[in-house]
Structure formats: structure tokens, C-alpha cells
Amino acid sequence: MIDAKDKSSIIQMFHVHKHYGSKKALIDINLNVSKNEFLFISGPSGAGKSTLLRLLYLGEPVSEGQVLVDGMNLSRISKKRIPLLRRKFGIIFQDYKLISTKTVFDNVALVLEASGKKRKFIEKKVRSVLRTVGIEQRINVLPHSLSGGEQQRVAVARAVVGVPKIILADEPTGSLDSDSADIILNLLKGFHTHGGTVIVATHDKELIRKAGRRTLYLKQGRMLGPTPI
Amino acid sequence: MATYYHRAVKDIKDNGFLSAVTIITIALSILIVSAFALFFTNANNVMNYWEKGIKIMAYLKPGISQKNFPDIKLKIQGIYGIQNVNFISKEEAFERLKEQMKRQSSILMDLNENPLPDAFEISMIASSQSCEKVEEIATKIESLPSIEDVEYGQKWLERFTNIFDLFRLAGYAMGGILFMAAVFIVANTIRLVIYTRREEIKIMRLVGASEKFIRVPFYIESIIQGTLGGIIGIAALFIIFKLISSNVEHGFKYELLNIKFLSPEFYCGIILCSMFVGWLGCYISLKQFLKA
Ligand SMILES: Nc1ncnc2c1ncn2[C@@H]1O[C@H](COP(=O)(O)OP(=O)(O)O)[C@@H](O)[C@H]1O
Ligand SMILES: [Mg+2]
């Protein structure tokens, strides 16, 4: 019934509900994301955008319904395999979630260490990714000495360094000036060009307009579709 | 593995004070426990030495005729655990007594009759030289009809053994308590480290780190602490031992006080135990505080 009938889709949600106690954050969500799609999920604050992303990487379990990610049925996945699921994603968190006691380099390297890569490879790869996002000069500083835009770029670097299949970005331009926002958008586009799937949750209309991609709107936990009525 | 090790060492350095306190606590526990062990192994050696010298004296009833002696001797020799049976006639015993009491031998001269009984002096084979075995044998000998009484210096040896056993029991109890204390200290250290790193651990999980990746450094960290604590404790004991034993040996050189340090097997065992303490403390802490 919930086989991935569509070979080209990488994420599917079937009648997904999520409540926090009696609060309904998501109601009957159906979603199909194709491989190499660049998708925006928008809607007012409190609509359920962040919650939807969290369900995808099992940041939280669904209350009802089924979620498939790249052939994995999230309601059947064993605890042991959750790390495998998470390595399919590169996640850019709204609050960056950089480790404050680790340098920029170590923050990014962590992803590769966790997947058991060799020291030499990590050294090279992390440097090259940090060069791509344009902060190779700040490689040995702690995150709190970086500006918001720079921290966001480190977060992007950490999201892409493990070459994940999917990038999830939650309000990636939230508190950034428009120049920094452009840099982030271009980095995401770059990842997409190389074959990756990107899902961005944002209420930033300017960003959506500039990107010009498929956008789905949420409102009070319900999927409205491609128009924000 | 190398990255695990580096992360563990970094953790120990980052939490320097906490790690130092943990290591010192383990070292102190190990010091106390191994000091007990040292005392007991040496006391045991002394006891064995004394036990080796134990002989049973079996005194014959008066008026048993001389021609029965070989028969009695054979009977005694037939008891399991006996090495040698030596007949000591009352005359011989009297001579020995005179010898021992040279100065006061005049007292003996006053006796007009030899008050001593004929006796057998009995020694045991090595495996029967413990207190209980000797007692067992003595009881068997005593039950022979021609034997009036046996003597084997049991009273003081028994009392000493009892005190010794009491000490040993106290040693085990103390060892047990210190073991738990050390485990608790390690567990607490790891708990605090987990607490200070809780944000980091959460983020690690979010970027796809496995539980093994997260936990192994904690294990390495606490096993390192256990090992260091064990080595320091044993080293401290060794230094104290050297200081004391050199003083004692200057004072009086006695065969009995030929005290030895713990055998390599023994102290390696203690260090292994200390590593286990580290492991166990970590295991308990992770089980309790690092729920996935
Ligand atoms: N952990 C939580 N506990 C309780 N309620 C939550 C939690 N997370 C989100 N919510 C609620 O769910 C709704 C959707 O939240 P969220 O997904 O963060 O919205 P958005 O990201 O679109 O602003 C909100 O009403 C929010 O208050
Ligand atoms: Mg949100």
C-alpha cells in the first residue's frame, strides 16, 4: 500500500498527523518529493514547517501516518539504524546548532568522523568545503566569534560535507542580511546542481521569489498546496 | 579508534580537575585495598611458617608396658597426614627438661620420681599442616585407648587464626565498600561530563553519529582513569613498603619478618580490577544518563 511506487521520489508522506499533547501541529499531510527537487515549504510562523522537517529525520516520531525516506519506512526503522537515516540528510538548523566548544573545523569534521572517514580525507574535505562557503580563514576559531552569516555558512558546510542525498534547511536566511542570504541560496543551488535534493522551510517571501522553485504552503498544520490562500 | 582515543584524552584534559579527583580517589582506594592485601599475604606467609613447625605431642597413659610401644606407633603412623612419629621416653624427656632448665635443675633434683609420661612426637606432612587438619589428626590420636592426652599448641594458634580471619573479613568488607565508592566516583565523573556535553551529544546524534561513536570515548576516558588510579595506588604502596621495610630490616633481621611485596600477578590483577572499576562506573553512568 505504501510501497514507493514512484521510483523517482525520495520522500513520501501519507496522511501524516503530528500532535503535541492536544495541540495539532500537522494534520493529514501528504507529500511527495522527487529526487533532485528543490522544494520550498512556506507559511506563517506556527504553521508547522519546522515540525514537518523534524519528522523526516526522526527528530520526532509521527503521531499517525507513514513517512518514507529513500526507501526507509520511518515507522519500522530500528533505533540502531536512525544514524543511517540521519546521514542521508544534511540539516541546516534554524539556530545553527554548532558545538560551541569546538572550532569551525571540528564542527564540520564531526560529520565525517561519525561516518568513520580517514583522518587525511577529513582534513582535505573539510578544508575544501570551508573554502567553498568562503570561511577558510576562520577555520580554527570557535563559533561564537563568528557573525550570524558566517555561522550559517559553517552550518551549510557541515550539512554538505558528508555528501548527503537531501538537504533540509529551516529558515536558512532567517536573521541574515540580503547579501548573506544570497550566498546561502547560491550554496544550496550549488548542492542542487550536483544532484542533491533540497527542502527549505521558510516564511521569507523574498527568498522564494528569487529562487523560483516549487513551493508548498502550510497553514495551521494543513497543507494548502502551491498557493498561499 | 585513534579519534576515539583523542577525544577521550581531550575530555580528560578539558575536565582536568574532575579527572584528577577521580584518579586520586581511585588511587587511594587501590592503596588501601592493596595495603590490606599486602598485610594478609605476608601474615599468611608467617602463619604458614609457624604451622610448618607444628608438632603433636601424644602422651601415653602411665603403666603401659614398653612392648606395646611399637604397636601404638604403628597405629599412629596409620593415620592419614602423618609424616614422622618419634618415640620420646620419659627418661629422655626428663633429660631434655633438665637441659632446658639448667639453672633451676636443682628443683628437678629434688624430685624422687620422674613425673613425665612417655610420649610420641608427631610431625605432619605438608598438606596437613593447617590448623584444622592438625586438630583433626590430634583428635584421632587422642581417641586411641593408650593415649592419655595430646598437645599441639593449638590454643594460641587457634586464637591467632580467629583474629586473622576477622581481619580478613574486615579487609573484604572494606575492599567491597571501596570498590563501590570508586565505581560511584567514576560514574559521577562521567555523569558530569555527559552533563557538560549534553548539547554536543544531541548535535552529534542529529548529524548521524552512532551510539558507539558517542559512547566509546567515555569508556576510554574512564578506563584510562581507572588504570592511572590503579598504577598510582600500587606505586604509592610500593614506595611506602620500601620505606617501612628498609627501616624494619635495619632494626632486626628476623627470618620471620622476611616480608615481601605483592607478586606481579597480584598487583597486575589489582590494576586490572581498577580498569574494571572504570569500565563499570562508565557503564552505569551511560546506562542511566545517556538514553538515546
Ligand atoms: N516541542 C513542541 N511542543 C509543543 N508544541 C510544539 C512543539 N514544537 C512545535 N509546537 C507547536 O506546533 C506548531 C507548529 O510549530 P512549528 O513547526 O515550529 O511551526 P513553524 O516552524 O511553521 O513556525 C506551533 O503551534 C508550535 O507551538
Ligand atoms: Mg520554524
Side-chain angles (χ1 to χ4, degrees), chain A residues 45-51 54 94 170-171 201 203:
Chain A
S45 146
K49 306 182 290 296
S50 301
T51 302
R54 280 202 292 273
Q94 190 162 4
D170 195 355
E171 309 285 2
H203 63 263

Side-chain angles (χ1 to χ4, degrees), chain A residues 38-77:
Chain A
F38 197 130
L39 173 72
F40 281 89
I41 294 181
S42 193
S45 146
K49 306 182 290 296
S50 301
T51 302
L52 193 148
L53 296 191
R54 280 202 292 273
L55 298 185
L56 295 178
Y57 61 86
L58 275 181
E60 310 211 21
V62 298
S63 305
E64 219 179 290
Q66 302 277 3
V67 182
L68 294 184
V69 174
D70 193 30
M72 282 177 135
N73 183 343
L74 302 202
S75 53
R76 299 233 189 99
I77 189 174

Side-chain angles (χ1 to χ4, degrees), chain A residues 57 79 83 86-87 91 93 97-99 101-102 110-111 113-114 119 158, chain B residues 3 7 10 197 199-200 202-211 213 292:
Chain A
Y57 61 86
K79 246 188 184 158
R86 292 194 179 152
R87 285 180 211 164
I91 310 170
F93 299 95
K97 290 211 196 303
L98 299 176
I99 298 169
T101 54
K102 282 184 188 282
L110 175 66
V111 177
E113 285 167 1
R119 196 72 226 165
R158 186 181 61 188
Chain B
T3 44
R7 275 166 56 206
K10 189 170 179 303
R197 312 228 133 183
E199 207 53 45
E200 183 178 333
K202 217 164 105 188
I203 293 170
M204 282 184 179
R205 284 185 175 141
L206 287 175
V207 302
S210 64
E211 284 305 298
F213 181 81

